[in-house]
Amino acid sequence: MKHSLLIMFFSLMATALWGQSEQNIISIGKKYSIQSKILNENRVYNVYLPSSYQNSLLKKYIVAYVLDGDNSKFKEVAGIVQSMNAASQLKMQIPELIIVAIENTDRTRDFTPTYSLNYLDQENITAFSSSGKANNFMKFLETELMPEINRSYRTISKNMIIGHSLGGLFAINCLLEAPDLFNYYILIDPSWFWDHNYIGKRSREILKSKNNLKARVYISLANNFKEDSRHYKWGQEFYKLLQANSSPGLSSKIQYFPDEKHLTVPLPGTYYGLRYMFDGLDVEINDIMENPSVITKAYEDVSKKLGMEMKPDESYMNTLGYVALYDRKIPDKAVSIFEINAKNYPLSLNVWDSLAEAYLNRGDQEKAKECYKKILALDPDHVKAKDQLKKLK
């Protein structure tokens, strides 16, 4: 009996401790795997979902595919993305993204477009002996991984790729050889040296004749002059080819980081790359408070630039509305902000409730009643809306 009681005691203790540890875990994503017939191997990938994913069930998201996506890279990119989209902190530099970080098995094989044993002026680099299978990895992305992601999550048909070093080389190869695979490219200090600057030569062949590219391309360059000045030279040459291309849907930017090395440039390169991709979303809060319609105009402009409809984030606008209502005490501006939110998200109970609160603060009971009626039309059992309508009769 004592033995049984001891077992029960320790079982309960273990359960309590396990429950406590579960509650204290800060999780940013989950690890998955897919069996690839094309690559003939199992591939592991990590997925980060935005904070709104579980609650905003109609919302769809751009997917950012991150190469070299081990745990460290996954956390790095997820942290940057979370920091750049934080409604509660009034930071809205980018929209929410789904992140798919793909772990490596043989990065030289997967990321290189040609077979080569060359590194700058050195030949017979045995570490490159598996090179030249980038087309297979592209096919894996297009026909196996991307369909799996699109089946599993609410995605927009716009994809981003973030690649550093050989990953940047692979991303450029996608732009040239499979331009419909991605729409947004963050190229972080790509390996221009590969196969005697193969990618530069191929870019000259393709970019001179192609005039229907639709992409935003950001290139970051590190300070690699101690190793070889050709890294910088080849990067600038590629950028000039992009600038000279006649495709109306192609835009590009290059940024040199003199204080960063090849291995330290990914963090600033990712941040500034994302800023460039969604340039125009970061509207000054004071401008919004003065004239709320500026945020609508900003999102219309960005939508045209990106070729997709974008709306100001519901949670962000709600936070701005309450800042205007209670912190800055400008109820008319608060009403305007909440009205924009209600127009953009008419099926959200929360936006109508917030708008009603702003109307009541301004003394406009009739308009507040209309908001509560809209809530009841969406949810006939909504207790607060029923109670408020009774009070306002």
Side-chain angles (χ1 to χ4, degrees), residues 352-361 364-366 368-373 375-376 382-393:
W352 292 113
D353 184 64
S354 298
L355 180 56
E357 186 175 341
Y359 281 141
L360 288 174
N361 185 280
D364 197 335
Q365 293 190 0
E366 289 305 313
K369 285 163 65 175
E370 290 302 314
C371 292
Y372 290 123
K373 287 177 183 178
I375 291 174
L376 289 177
H382 198 278
V383 175
K384 180 181 177 181
K386 288 180 179 180
D387 291 343
Q388 288 297 102
L389 283 173
K390 287 179 183 178
K391 291 178 183 178
L392 295 172
K393 279 185 178 180

Short mmCIF file of all heavy atoms in Angstrom, two decimals, residues 352-361 364-366 368-373 375-376 382-393:
data_model
loop_
_atom_site.label_atom_id
_atom_site.label_comp_id
_atom_site.label_asym_id
_atom_site.label_seq_id
_atom_site.Cartn_x
_atom_site.Cartn_y
_atom_site.Cartn_z
N TRP A 352 -16.49 46.46 -34.50
CA TRP A 352 -17.76 47.17 -34.27
C TRP A 352 -17.90 47.56 -32.80
O TRP A 352 -18.42 48.64 -32.49
CB TRP A 352 -18.94 46.30 -34.70
CG TRP A 352 -19.00 46.08 -36.18
CD1 TRP A 352 -18.82 44.90 -36.85
CD2 TRP A 352 -19.24 47.08 -37.18
NE1 TRP A 352 -18.92 45.12 -38.21
CE2 TRP A 352 -19.20 46.45 -38.44
CE3 TRP A 352 -19.50 48.45 -37.13
CZ2 TRP A 352 -19.39 47.12 -39.63
CZ3 TRP A 352 -19.70 49.15 -38.33
CH2 TRP A 352 -19.64 48.49 -39.56
N ASP A 353 -17.42 46.73 -31.91
CA ASP A 353 -17.47 47.05 -30.48
C ASP A 353 -16.60 48.25 -30.17
O ASP A 353 -16.99 49.15 -29.41
CB ASP A 353 -17.03 45.83 -29.67
CG ASP A 353 -17.14 46.07 -28.18
OD1 ASP A 353 -18.28 46.25 -27.69
OD2 ASP A 353 -16.10 46.08 -27.50
N SER A 354 -15.41 48.29 -30.76
CA SER A 354 -14.50 49.43 -30.53
C SER A 354 -15.08 50.71 -31.12
O SER A 354 -15.00 51.78 -30.50
CB SER A 354 -13.13 49.13 -31.17
OG SER A 354 -12.53 48.01 -30.56
N LEU A 355 -15.67 50.59 -32.30
CA LEU A 355 -16.27 51.77 -32.93
C LEU A 355 -17.45 52.28 -32.09
O LEU A 355 -17.62 53.50 -31.90
CB LEU A 355 -16.72 51.43 -34.35
CG LEU A 355 -17.37 52.56 -35.16
CD1 LEU A 355 -16.44 53.78 -35.24
CD2 LEU A 355 -17.72 52.07 -36.56
N ALA A 356 -18.24 51.38 -31.56
CA ALA A 356 -19.36 51.78 -30.69
C ALA A 356 -18.85 52.52 -29.46
O ALA A 356 -19.43 53.54 -29.05
CB ALA A 356 -20.15 50.53 -30.27
N GLU A 357 -17.77 52.03 -28.89
CA GLU A 357 -17.19 52.67 -27.71
C GLU A 357 -16.73 54.09 -28.03
O GLU A 357 -16.91 55.02 -27.24
CB GLU A 357 -16.02 51.84 -27.20
CG GLU A 357 -15.42 52.33 -25.90
CD GLU A 357 -14.34 51.40 -25.38
OE1 GLU A 357 -14.29 50.22 -25.79
OE2 GLU A 357 -13.53 51.87 -24.54
N ALA A 358 -16.14 54.25 -29.22
CA ALA A 358 -15.68 55.59 -29.63
C ALA A 358 -16.86 56.53 -29.87
O ALA A 358 -16.82 57.71 -29.49
CB ALA A 358 -14.83 55.47 -30.89
N TYR A 359 -17.93 56.01 -30.48
CA TYR A 359 -19.12 56.83 -30.69
C TYR A 359 -19.71 57.27 -29.34
O TYR A 359 -20.10 58.44 -29.16
CB TYR A 359 -20.18 56.05 -31.47
CG TYR A 359 -19.93 55.97 -32.96
CD1 TYR A 359 -20.20 54.80 -33.66
CD2 TYR A 359 -19.47 57.07 -33.68
CE1 TYR A 359 -20.00 54.71 -35.04
CE2 TYR A 359 -19.26 57.00 -35.05
CZ TYR A 359 -19.53 55.82 -35.72
OH TYR A 359 -19.34 55.75 -37.08
N LEU A 360 -19.79 56.35 -28.38
CA LEU A 360 -20.34 56.69 -27.07
C LEU A 360 -19.47 57.72 -26.37
O LEU A 360 -19.99 58.64 -25.71
CB LEU A 360 -20.44 55.43 -26.20
CG LEU A 360 -21.53 54.43 -26.58
CD1 LEU A 360 -21.42 53.17 -25.73
CD2 LEU A 360 -22.91 55.06 -26.43
N ASN A 361 -18.16 57.59 -26.51
CA ASN A 361 -17.24 58.56 -25.91
C ASN A 361 -17.47 59.94 -26.48
O ASN A 361 -17.32 60.95 -25.78
CB ASN A 361 -15.80 58.10 -26.16
CG ASN A 361 -14.78 58.98 -25.48
OD1 ASN A 361 -14.44 60.05 -25.97
ND2 ASN A 361 -14.27 58.51 -24.35
N ASP A 364 -22.33 60.11 -29.34
CA ASP A 364 -23.18 59.77 -30.49
C ASP A 364 -23.83 58.40 -30.24
O ASP A 364 -23.37 57.36 -30.72
CB ASP A 364 -22.33 59.74 -31.76
CG ASP A 364 -23.19 59.81 -33.02
OD1 ASP A 364 -24.37 59.41 -32.94
OD2 ASP A 364 -22.67 60.25 -34.05
N GLN A 365 -24.95 58.40 -29.48
CA GLN A 365 -25.56 57.15 -29.07
C GLN A 365 -26.22 56.41 -30.23
O GLN A 365 -26.21 55.17 -30.26
CB GLN A 365 -26.60 57.43 -27.97
CG GLN A 365 -25.99 57.91 -26.67
CD GLN A 365 -27.00 57.93 -25.54
OE1 GLN A 365 -28.18 57.57 -25.73
NE2 GLN A 365 -26.56 58.33 -24.36
N GLU A 366 -26.82 57.14 -31.17
CA GLU A 366 -27.50 56.49 -32.29
C GLU A 366 -26.53 55.67 -33.14
O GLU A 366 -26.84 54.54 -33.54
CB GLU A 366 -28.22 57.53 -33.15
CG GLU A 366 -29.43 58.15 -32.48
CD GLU A 366 -30.43 57.10 -32.02
OE1 GLU A 366 -30.76 56.19 -32.83
OE2 GLU A 366 -30.87 57.16 -30.86
N ALA A 368 -23.71 54.48 -32.09
CA ALA A 368 -23.25 53.37 -31.26
C ALA A 368 -24.26 52.23 -31.31
O ALA A 368 -23.89 51.04 -31.40
CB ALA A 368 -23.05 53.83 -29.82
N LYS A 369 -25.55 52.57 -31.28
CA LYS A 369 -26.60 51.54 -31.36
C LYS A 369 -26.51 50.78 -32.67
O LYS A 369 -26.69 49.55 -32.70
CB LYS A 369 -27.98 52.20 -31.21
CG LYS A 369 -28.28 52.61 -29.78
CD LYS A 369 -29.44 53.60 -29.69
CE LYS A 369 -30.74 53.02 -30.15
NZ LYS A 369 -31.86 53.97 -29.93
N GLU A 370 -26.21 51.48 -33.76
CA GLU A 370 -26.07 50.80 -35.06
C GLU A 370 -24.93 49.79 -35.02
O GLU A 370 -25.04 48.71 -35.61
CB GLU A 370 -25.83 51.84 -36.16
CG GLU A 370 -27.03 52.70 -36.49
CD GLU A 370 -28.24 51.88 -36.92
OE1 GLU A 370 -28.07 50.95 -37.76
OE2 GLU A 370 -29.34 52.12 -36.39
N CYS A 371 -23.87 50.14 -34.34
CA CYS A 371 -22.73 49.21 -34.22
C CYS A 371 -23.14 47.95 -33.45
O CYS A 371 -22.80 46.83 -33.86
CB CYS A 371 -21.56 49.88 -33.52
SG CYS A 371 -20.78 51.19 -34.48
N TYR A 372 -23.85 48.12 -32.36
CA TYR A 372 -24.27 46.96 -31.57
C TYR A 372 -25.26 46.10 -32.34
O TYR A 372 -25.27 44.87 -32.21
CB TYR A 372 -24.84 47.40 -30.23
CG TYR A 372 -23.79 47.97 -29.30
CD1 TYR A 372 -23.91 49.25 -28.77
CD2 TYR A 372 -22.67 47.21 -28.96
CE1 TYR A 372 -22.94 49.77 -27.93
CE2 TYR A 372 -21.69 47.72 -28.13
CZ TYR A 372 -21.82 49.00 -27.61
OH TYR A 372 -20.84 49.52 -26.78
N LYS A 373 -26.10 46.72 -33.17
CA LYS A 373 -27.02 45.96 -34.02
C LYS A 373 -26.25 45.13 -35.04
O LYS A 373 -26.64 44.00 -35.35
CB LYS A 373 -27.98 46.91 -34.73
CG LYS A 373 -29.04 47.52 -33.81
CD LYS A 373 -29.91 48.51 -34.55
CE LYS A 373 -30.93 49.17 -33.61
NZ LYS A 373 -31.75 50.17 -34.32
N ILE A 375 -23.29 43.93 -34.55
CA ILE A 375 -22.71 42.81 -33.79
C ILE A 375 -23.74 41.70 -33.63
O ILE A 375 -23.44 40.52 -33.83
CB ILE A 375 -22.20 43.29 -32.41
CG1 ILE A 375 -20.98 44.21 -32.59
CG2 ILE A 375 -21.84 42.11 -31.52
CD1 ILE A 375 -20.50 44.85 -31.30
N LEU A 376 -24.97 42.08 -33.30
CA LEU A 376 -26.01 41.07 -33.11
C LEU A 376 -26.39 40.39 -34.42
O LEU A 376 -26.79 39.22 -34.43
CB LEU A 376 -27.25 41.71 -32.48
CG LEU A 376 -27.10 42.10 -31.00
CD1 LEU A 376 -28.36 42.78 -30.50
CD2 LEU A 376 -26.78 40.87 -30.15
N HIS A 382 -24.74 37.65 -28.63
CA HIS A 382 -23.69 38.48 -28.05
C HIS A 382 -24.25 39.24 -26.84
O HIS A 382 -25.09 40.15 -26.97
CB HIS A 382 -23.16 39.45 -29.09
CG HIS A 382 -21.82 40.04 -28.75
ND1 HIS A 382 -21.69 41.11 -27.89
CD2 HIS A 382 -20.57 39.70 -29.13
CE1 HIS A 382 -20.41 41.41 -27.77
NE2 HIS A 382 -19.70 40.56 -28.52
N VAL A 383 -23.77 38.90 -25.66
CA VAL A 383 -24.33 39.42 -24.41
C VAL A 383 -24.10 40.93 -24.26
O VAL A 383 -25.02 41.69 -23.94
CB VAL A 383 -23.74 38.67 -23.19
CG1 VAL A 383 -24.23 39.29 -21.89
CG2 VAL A 383 -24.11 37.19 -23.26
N LYS A 384 -22.86 41.36 -24.51
CA LYS A 384 -22.55 42.78 -24.31
C LYS A 384 -23.39 43.67 -25.23
O LYS A 384 -23.90 44.71 -24.81
CB LYS A 384 -21.07 43.03 -24.55
CG LYS A 384 -20.68 44.49 -24.34
CD LYS A 384 -19.20 44.76 -24.60
CE LYS A 384 -18.89 46.24 -24.45
NZ LYS A 384 -17.47 46.54 -24.72
N ALA A 385 -23.53 43.26 -26.48
CA ALA A 385 -24.30 44.06 -27.43
C ALA A 385 -25.75 44.16 -26.99
O ALA A 385 -26.37 45.25 -27.07
CB ALA A 385 -24.19 43.46 -28.84
N LYS A 386 -26.33 43.06 -26.50
CA LYS A 386 -27.71 43.09 -26.01
C LYS A 386 -27.85 44.04 -24.82
O LYS A 386 -28.79 44.85 -24.76
CB LYS A 386 -28.14 41.69 -25.60
CG LYS A 386 -28.39 40.73 -26.74
CD LYS A 386 -28.83 39.37 -26.21
CE LYS A 386 -29.11 38.39 -27.34
NZ LYS A 386 -29.52 37.07 -26.81
N ASP A 387 -26.91 43.94 -23.89
CA ASP A 387 -26.96 44.79 -22.70
C ASP A 387 -26.81 46.26 -23.06
O ASP A 387 -27.54 47.12 -22.51
CB ASP A 387 -25.86 44.39 -21.72
CG ASP A 387 -26.11 43.03 -21.09
OD1 ASP A 387 -27.25 42.54 -21.15
OD2 ASP A 387 -25.13 42.46 -20.52
N GLN A 388 -25.91 46.57 -23.96
CA GLN A 388 -25.71 47.97 -24.35
C GLN A 388 -26.93 48.55 -25.04
O GLN A 388 -27.28 49.70 -24.81
CB GLN A 388 -24.47 48.06 -25.26
CG GLN A 388 -23.14 47.87 -24.56
CD GLN A 388 -22.86 48.96 -23.53
OE1 GLN A 388 -23.01 48.76 -22.33
NE2 GLN A 388 -22.50 50.13 -24.01
N LEU A 389 -27.56 47.76 -25.88
CA LEU A 389 -28.78 48.25 -26.57
C LEU A 389 -29.90 48.52 -25.58
O LEU A 389 -30.67 49.48 -25.74
CB LEU A 389 -29.22 47.24 -27.63
CG LEU A 389 -28.40 47.24 -28.92
CD1 LEU A 389 -28.81 46.10 -29.83
CD2 LEU A 389 -28.56 48.57 -29.66
N LYS A 390 -29.99 47.70 -24.54
CA LYS A 390 -31.00 47.95 -23.51
C LYS A 390 -30.74 49.27 -22.79
O LYS A 390 -31.65 50.04 -22.50
CB LYS A 390 -31.02 46.80 -22.49
CG LYS A 390 -31.64 45.51 -23.02
CD LYS A 390 -31.59 44.43 -21.95
CE LYS A 390 -32.16 43.10 -22.49
NZ LYS A 390 -32.08 42.03 -21.47
N LYS A 391 -29.46 49.49 -22.48
CA LYS A 391 -29.09 50.73 -21.78
C LYS A 391 -29.33 51.97 -22.64
O LYS A 391 -29.64 53.05 -22.11
CB LYS A 391 -27.62 50.68 -21.38
CG LYS A 391 -27.29 49.67 -20.30
CD LYS A 391 -25.79 49.67 -20.02
CE LYS A 391 -25.42 48.59 -18.99
NZ LYS A 391 -23.96 48.56 -18.76
N LEU A 392 -29.19 51.83 -23.96
CA LEU A 392 -29.25 52.99 -24.85
C LEU A 392 -30.66 53.29 -25.33
O LEU A 392 -30.87 54.26 -26.09
CB LEU A 392 -28.33 52.78 -26.06
CG LEU A 392 -26.83 52.70 -25.73
CD1 LEU A 392 -26.03 52.29 -26.95
CD2 LEU A 392 -26.33 54.03 -25.19
N LYS A 393 -31.63 52.49 -24.95
CA LYS A 393 -33.02 52.74 -25.38
C LYS A 393 -33.59 53.97 -24.69
O LYS A 393 -33.28 54.25 -23.55
CB LYS A 393 -33.88 51.51 -25.06
CG LYS A 393 -33.72 50.42 -26.11
CD LYS A 393 -34.67 49.27 -25.84
CE LYS A 393 -34.55 48.22 -26.91
NZ LYS A 393 -35.46 47.06 -26.70
#
